């Protein structure tokens, strides 16, 4: 059986969701009758509760599920905790769905979504999910809505803001930059007058942040154009972002310390690094790992490319997706919406909710570290200001290692970011083509 999917893939393993629906009915292919009957949300019979299997990897999620079950006896959720949100978990989910014993609902890393769509692993729940769309910012809903088809509900997100050492800013006589031009000027001033310190870092082990900077600038590396993918890694937004950071790297105005190296938090704690333009999940990590600087730090909006704008971007996050074969998508989405709009419950688990909310309360530990600021108010505004959708390519798992290696090489001077972007344009097109996916370069 060979057919063409809505994402331009040709092959036996990738088919359109319309075809998947047909296969559920005919018993042909991976979404057959056994899938629908195994962990897919089948009811236990007339007058009994609908049962939904849910997989995730966040510690403590079982407590929220227990609360749901106590309040909703008609829809019982069985939660299964997975080891981590990594490639092994992705492989486990994929194998389970294809074997016919996958869950009805699963937490899915945002980077996996498009690849899983192209492999036919999700159920089309556009009709059932429509009533919940208004509960989430448009920029985050785009992560579960691929080319007009909805497959789940957003869970947590990584809206970006600027965290900064207010005490050091005052000591050095610099203002909080509101634009990227001002950011560059401050970075160069600090480099010239206080060479032992840096305004920020550009780390060699943080590939996704560059993509987030491009998103904020209005760029999209991958988009769906009819039956093919359009690749625009070297577009105007990417060129602007690449040239900006390349200049700061060459002038040694940014710290090269790796983002996931403990030395990074030492630099934050001792005043070597004075700001981090980062996601929501960065806030508790700064507070927990750089306690010596507690009270010195504060928070502001992301710098803008044009004065007066408010654009933010997303970095990280996950969704709860309905897997192929789910027999009760309406009940599944009812639970998923309850879970993902339970903002207090998600915050308690260390997740920044994707749901729109004006009532998020900043934990005292964060407020103390950030000088009494209402950090979550800034993050909530940032989430609503993610103006450009960002869709990961179906071949992203292969492409991600290429960009990671390239970022590391650019920080060490073995290449430049503009040159890296050209290489990434080619490698992205090549990886899509090698996967049997129709792709063209943006004009």
């Amino acid at each position: 059986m060979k057919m063409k999917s809505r994402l331009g893939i040709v092959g036996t393993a990738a088919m359109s969701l319309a075809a998947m629906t047909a296969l559920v009915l005919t018993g042909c292919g991976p979404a057959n009758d056994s899938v629908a009957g195994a962990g897919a949300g089948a009811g236990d019979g007339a007058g009994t509760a609908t049962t939904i299997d849910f997989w995730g990897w966040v510690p403590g999620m079982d407590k929220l599920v227990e609360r749901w079950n106590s309040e909703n006896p008609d829809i019982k959720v069985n939660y299964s905790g997975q080891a981590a949100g990594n490639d092994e978990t992705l492989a486990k989910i994929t194998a389970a769905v294809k074997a016919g014993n996958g869950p009805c609902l699963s937490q899915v890393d945002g980077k996996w979504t498009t690849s899983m769509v192209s492999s036919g692993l999700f159920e089309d729940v556009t009709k059932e999910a429509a009533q919940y769309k208004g509960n989430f910012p448009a920029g985050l809903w785009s992560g579960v809505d691929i080319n007009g088809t909805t497959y789940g509900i957003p869970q947590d997100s990584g809206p970006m803001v600027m965290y900064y050492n207010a005490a050091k800013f005052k000591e050095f006589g610099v203002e909080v930059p509101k634009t990227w031009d001002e950011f560059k000027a401050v970075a160069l001033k600090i480099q010239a007058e206080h060479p032992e310190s840096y305004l920020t870092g550009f780390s060699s082990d943080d590939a996704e942040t560059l993509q987030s900077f491009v998103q904020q600038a209005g760029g999209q590396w991958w988009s769906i154009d009819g039956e093919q993918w359009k690749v625009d890694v070297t577009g105007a937004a990417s060129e602007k972002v690449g040239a900006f950071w390349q200049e700061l790297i060459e002038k040694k105005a940014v710290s090269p310390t790796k983002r996931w190296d403990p030395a990074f938090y030492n630099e934050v704690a001792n005043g070597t690094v004075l700001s981090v333009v980062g996601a929501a999940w960065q806030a508790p990590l700064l507070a927990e790992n750089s306690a010596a600087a507690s009270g010195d730090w504060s928070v502001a909006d992301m710098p803008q490319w044009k004065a007066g704008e408010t654009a933010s971007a997303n970095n990280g996050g996950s969704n709860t997706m309905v897997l192929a074969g789910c027999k009760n998508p309406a009940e599944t989405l009812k639970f998923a919406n309850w879970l993902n709009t339970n903002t207090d419950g998600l915050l308690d688990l260390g997740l920044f909710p994707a749901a729109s909310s004006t009532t998020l309360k900043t934990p005292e530990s964060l407020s103390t570290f950030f000088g009494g600021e209402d950090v979550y108010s800034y993050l909530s505004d940032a989430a609503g200001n993610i103006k450009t959708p960002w869709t990961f390519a179906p071949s992203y798992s292969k492409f991600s290692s290429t960009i990671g290696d390239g970022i590391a090489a650019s920080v060490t001077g073995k290449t430049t970011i503009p040159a890296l972007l050209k290489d990434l344009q080619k490698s992205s097109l090549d990886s899509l083509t090698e996967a049997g996916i129709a792709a063209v370069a943006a004009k």
Side-chain angles (χ1 to χ4, degrees), residues 137-140 157-160 215 310-315 381-390:
L140 298 179
S157 64
M160 297 182 72
Q215 180 188 23
T310 59
S312 184
N314 190 63
N315 188 315
D381 289 344
N385 288 324
I386 299 172
K387 304 180 184 300
T388 304
W390 189 270

Side-chain angles (χ1 to χ4, degrees), residues 290-356:
S290 304
S294 182
D296 291 344
W297 280 65
S298 190
V299 61
D301 295 329
M302 252 184 120
Q304 300 294 308
W305 287 104
K306 184 176 180 181
E309 293 185 345
T310 59
S312 184
N314 190 63
N315 188 315
S318 60
N319 307 303
T320 48
M321 308 297 282
V322 181
L323 299 183
C326 180
K327 294 182 66 176
N328 293 288
E331 291 84 353
T332 299
L333 289 170
K334 183 177 180 179
F335 163 70
N337 179 71
W338 173 88
L339 176 67
N340 297 330
T341 57
N342 188 340
T343 55
D344 289 342
L346 293 180
L347 287 171
D348 287 344
L349 302 184
L351 300 176
F352 188 81
S356 302

Side-chain angles (χ1 to χ4, degrees), residues 175-406:
E175 299 292 329
V176 177
K178 295 183 179 180
T179 67
W180 285 111
D181 284 341
E182 292 175 0
F183 188 94
K184 181 192 297 184
V186 172
L188 295 176
K189 175 181 172 66
I190 291 174
Q191 190 273 335
E193 298 178 2
H194 307 278
E196 75 286 355
S197 296
Y198 301 93
L199 173 58
T200 194
F202 193 87
S203 57
S204 61
D205 61 345
D206 188 2
E208 287 186 48
T209 296
L210 177 63
Q211 297 170 69
S212 297
F213 287 149
V214 172
Q215 180 188 23
Q216 190 221 10
Q220 297 184 65
W221 283 2
W222 304 283
S223 58
I224 301 168
D225 184 11
E227 290 294 328
Q228 62 188 4
W229 281 81
K230 184 166 63 176
V231 180
D232 193 23
V233 181
T234 53
S238 297
E239 289 182 353
K240 178 167 60 177
V241 169
F244 177 90
W245 289 103
Q246 183 61 36
E247 180 180 352
L248 294 182
I249 291 171
E250 290 179 355
K251 292 184 176 179
K252 302 187 184 304
V254 290
S255 170
T257 301
K258 292 182 178 181
R259 166 65 186 77
W260 298 108
D261 189 319
F264 166 78
Y265 291 106
N266 292 336
E267 292 185 343
V268 170
N270 64 27
T272 300
V273 167
L274 306 190
S275 75
V276 177
V277 182
W281 47 262
Q282 182 72 78
L285 291 178
L286 289 170
E288 292 166 10
N289 295 284
S290 304
S294 182
D296 291 344
W297 280 65
S298 190
V299 61
D301 295 329
M302 252 184 120
Q304 300 294 308
W305 287 104
K306 184 176 180 181
E309 293 185 345
T310 59
S312 184
N314 190 63
N315 188 315
S318 60
N319 307 303
T320 48
M321 308 297 282
V322 181
L323 299 183
C326 180
K327 294 182 66 176
N328 293 288
E331 291 84 353
T332 299
L333 289 170
K334 183 177 180 179
F335 163 70
N337 179 71
W338 173 88
L339 176 67
N340 297 330
T341 57
N342 188 340
T343 55
D344 289 342
L346 293 180
L347 287 171
D348 287 344
L349 302 184
L351 300 176
F352 188 81
S356 302
S357 176
T358 59
T359 61
L360 300 182
K361 183 179 180 181
T362 301
E364 184 176 353
S365 60
L366 284 189
S367 181
T368 298
F369 183 85
F370 290 101
E373 287 282 8
D374 186 359
V375 179
Y376 284 168
S377 175
Y378 281 90
L379 291 169
S380 294
D381 289 344
N385 288 324
I386 299 172
K387 304 180 184 300
T388 304
W390 189 270
T391 301
F392 288 94
S395 58
Y396 187 79
S397 59
K398 182 175 182 179
F399 177 80
S400 62
S401 61
T402 303
I403 183 174
D405 293 343

Side-chain angles (χ1 to χ4, degrees), residues 7 25 36 61 79 89 126 142 198 213 219 267 323 335 354 362 436 439:
L7 299 181
L25 297 176
M61 186 64 74
Y79 179 69
T89 295
T126 306
S142 67
Y198 301 93
F213 287 149
E267 292 185 343
L323 299 183
F335 163 70
T362 301

Side-chain angles (χ1 to χ4, degrees), residues 35-233:
V35 172
D44 297 325
T48 60
T50 298
T51 300
I52 297 166
D53 291 337
F54 169 38
W55 288 7
W57 56 79
V58 178
M61 186 64 74
D62 56 318
K63 302 302 182 185
L64 284 180
V65 171
E66 288 175 7
R67 177 180 163 189
W68 163 270
N69 286 336
S70 68
E71 298 174 0
N72 298 271
D74 56 327
I75 303 175
K76 180 183 178 182
V77 177
N78 292 328
Y79 179 69
S80 176
Q82 307 303 303
N86 54 22
D87 289 344
E88 291 182 5
T89 295
L90 170 59
K92 182 177 179 180
I93 294 170
T94 301
V97 173
K98 291 184 176 181
N101 55 12
C104 200
L105 186 71
S106 180
Q107 185 180 13
V108 169
D109 190 294
K111 300 188 296 294
W112 302 344
T113 301
T114 312
S115 294
M116 294 180 73
V117 170
S118 66
S119 296
L121 298 176
F122 295 145
E123 193 78 18
D124 179 349
V125 293
T126 306
K127 180 179 179 180
E128 295 87 349
Q131 62 184 306
Y132 306 120
K133 184 176 181 179
N135 295 337
F136 302 87
L140 298 179
W141 188 262
S142 67
V144 299
D145 189 297
I146 308 299
N147 205 28
T149 302
T150 306
Y151 301 100
I153 300 285
Q155 182 162 87
D156 66 298
S157 64
M160 297 182 72
V161 295
M162 179 177 171
Y163 307 105
Y164 69 98
N165 190 325
K168 279 289 186 180
F169 270 43
K170 183 177 181 180
E171 178 186 338
F172 290 175
V174 296
E175 299 292 329
V176 177
K178 295 183 179 180
T179 67
W180 285 111
D181 284 341
E182 292 175 0
F183 188 94
K184 181 192 297 184
V186 172
L188 295 176
K189 175 181 172 66
I190 291 174
Q191 190 273 335
E193 298 178 2
H194 307 278
E196 75 286 355
S197 296
Y198 301 93
L199 173 58
T200 194
F202 193 87
S203 57
S204 61
D205 61 345
D206 188 2
E208 287 186 48
T209 296
L210 177 63
Q211 297 170 69
S212 297
F213 287 149
V214 172
Q215 180 188 23
Q216 190 221 10
Q220 297 184 65
W221 283 2
W222 304 283
S223 58
I224 301 168
D225 184 11
E227 290 294 328
Q228 62 188 4
W229 281 81
K230 184 166 63 176
V231 180
D232 193 23
V233 181

